[in-house]
Amino acid sequence: MKQRISKLLAVVLAMVMLATVGSLFAFAVGEEEQTSKKGLNYLVIGDSIAAGYGMHPVNGSPDDLSNQFTLHHGELVDGTYPKIVSEALGATTTVNTARESFTTTNYLRMIDHDYDVELTYPQNYYERFLSECTSIMPKVLGGFSDLPVLKENMVQYIKDADVITIGIGNNDTFTAALLGPVFRTLYYAYGMAGQVPLTMLKGHLNAVTSVDQLVEMAGGYNDIFTELARRVAIYKNNYDRLIKDILAINPDVKLYYVGMYNTFADVQPADADIVVQFRGQGEVLAADLKNYVKKQSPYRNRVHYVEVGHVEVWPSVPVDNIMFYMTFLIHCHPDYTGHQQIAKQILKAMKKDGIY
């Protein structure tokens, strides 16, 4: 019976993790290398968009299950913006560390030892649990995860990079808010208690020492938009810390932040209540993060913000068709034209700096 429950949990968790592949708003030795004349080393930091999720359409249709369940481990997928940018730059090496479901927390845990230790405190257990959920999916679904290799090499990747594009934040914010009740339920059922032995294995057993700490460890269920506001605040702090860590490792690297696009911009029917609400929220979120990166972050003069604007995604059936929800993960990601649009904006920003 225990084995059956464990298998069922694995399946449920895998499907939940698959939902984090995208966002509502959007190596073992797997990295690709390109030969170049300019000698630039290009590093890609990102989530499922840069990883290439959804870019394996079967017979022209992206909805095939083999496409939906194709995950990536550092390859440069044909038609994606990292490959387009790499080829345009004539990069000597391109390392793609973007993975389905990745967040800023995943990257911080790879390069910031102090941050990783902070997550062993009870008040941060939920954040630690989320990062483990977002990194376990490839292993659960495909039996393989290159996270240990990324952890071992990420600092060196950053040291070697001349140019880094950062396309991360989708899963940190709206996806985490939308799936908050699911994650919280899994956390209460399995994750919270499991953090104790996991932190012990890392040599950090930190006991709860106050009622406030206990309340923070447990947390609670929020409505989507209350949780979204909380997630955005966490993301802004994590973003600043990530940039700080990158610059500490490589002070001379050129950084380009890829802005968000609104997944619901073209969803039909355009006047449906859910479309109106989420489209509006998408605009607010994209504008908020743009304003932060460009004007409020202490690194606003060090990071080049790339305005991607409207991005074409895989076209879907109307929102009132049940298949919309069955295939949404694919349709919230850019299609070939969408990736070309993103790449064009990145290269335009790089051209201003004389890189391209």
Side-chain angles (χ1 to χ4, degrees), residues 42-43 50-51 87 111 113 127 147 157 219 247:
Y42 173 33
L43 175 62
E87 292 177 345
I111 65 175
H113 175 71
E127 293 306 308
L147 186 61
Y157 294 154
L247 292 176

Side-chain angles (χ1 to χ4, degrees), residues 8-77:
L8 178 60
L9 173 60
V11 172
V12 172
L13 182 58
M15 295 309 296
V16 171
M17 290 307 97
L18 185 59
T20 68
V21 165
S23 160
L24 283 181
F25 307 109
F27 148 2
V29 275
E31 70 270 16
E32 296 269 353
E33 295 189 358
Q34 306 289 335
T35 303
S36 148
K37 297 178 181 178
K38 296 187 178 180
L40 288 175
N41 296 321
Y42 173 33
L43 175 62
V44 182
I45 288 177
D47 51 29
S48 57
I49 297 172
Y53 183 73
M55 292 293 284
H56 300 275
V58 179
N59 296 322
S61 172
D63 296 335
D64 186 87
L65 287 178
S66 65
N67 187 27
Q68 293 196 49
F69 285 88
T70 296
L71 306 183
H72 302 88
H73 301 90
E75 62 270 31
L76 287 177
V77 179

Side-chain angles (χ1 to χ4, degrees), residues 254-312:
K254 297 284 188 180
L255 299 175
Y256 296 87
Y257 180 90
V258 183
M260 285 190 179
Y261 61 86
N262 191 342
T263 299
F264 269 77
D266 298 322
V267 172
Q268 299 298 320
D271 59 350
D273 288 346
I274 189 172
V275 175
V276 172
Q277 187 168 21
F278 282 122
R279 186 174 59 236
Q281 186 59 56
E283 293 172 358
V284 170
L285 178 60
D288 183 19
L289 296 185
K290 174 183 177 180
N291 184 63
Y292 186 78
V293 172
K294 290 190 68 174
K295 298 180 180 180
Q296 297 177 330
S297 169
Y299 302 100
R300 58 190 177 276
N301 296 322
R302 190 63 182 77
V303 178
H304 302 259
Y305 180 86
V306 178
E307 175 71 74
V308 299
H310 179 271
V311 171
E312 286 196 29

Side-chain angles (χ1 to χ4, degrees), residues 27-34 42-44 72-77 86 92-99 144 146 149-150 153-154 156-157 160:
F27 148 2
V29 275
E31 70 270 16
E32 296 269 353
E33 295 189 358
Q34 306 289 335
Y42 173 33
L43 175 62
V44 182
H72 302 88
H73 301 90
E75 62 270 31
L76 287 177
V77 179
S86 174
T92 301
T93 63
T94 296
V95 179
N96 187 4
T97 66
R99 300 293 185 271
F144 170 69
D146 60 353
V149 179
L150 288 177
N153 292 282
M154 186 60 68
Q156 190 62 49
Y157 294 154
D160 293 340

Side-chain angles (χ1 to χ4, degrees), residues 202-332:
K202 292 186 68 95
H204 298 282
L205 178 58
N206 301 298
V208 174
T209 58
S210 69
V211 174
D212 288 343
Q213 198 175 45
L214 177 63
V215 171
E216 288 179 317
M217 178 182 71
Y221 293 97
N222 291 320
D223 66 83
I224 291 175
F225 296 113
T226 298
E227 182 66 7
L228 177 59
R230 193 179 79 86
R231 299 307 315 175
V232 169
I234 292 172
Y235 173 69
K236 290 176 179 178
N237 288 330
N238 283 357
Y239 164 79
D240 285 339
R241 189 160 184 167
L242 180 62
I243 301 302
K244 177 182 178 181
D245 288 340
I246 290 172
L247 292 176
I249 296 169
N250 185 346
D252 299 320
V253 69
K254 297 284 188 180
L255 299 175
Y256 296 87
Y257 180 90
V258 183
M260 285 190 179
Y261 61 86
N262 191 342
T263 299
F264 269 77
D266 298 322
V267 172
Q268 299 298 320
D271 59 350
D273 288 346
I274 189 172
V275 175
V276 172
Q277 187 168 21
F278 282 122
R279 186 174 59 236
Q281 186 59 56
E283 293 172 358
V284 170
L285 178 60
D288 183 19
L289 296 185
K290 174 183 177 180
N291 184 63
Y292 186 78
V293 172
K294 290 190 68 174
K295 298 180 180 180
Q296 297 177 330
S297 169
Y299 302 100
R300 58 190 177 276
N301 296 322
R302 190 63 182 77
V303 178
H304 302 259
Y305 180 86
V306 178
E307 175 71 74
V308 299
H310 179 271
V311 171
E312 286 196 29
V313 297
W314 291 104
S316 70
V317 296
V319 72
D320 52 7
N321 185 318
I322 188 62
M323 290 306 297
F324 176 87
Y325 302 98
M326 300 297 289
T327 59
F328 179 74
L329 291 178
I330 290 291
H331 299 288
C332 70

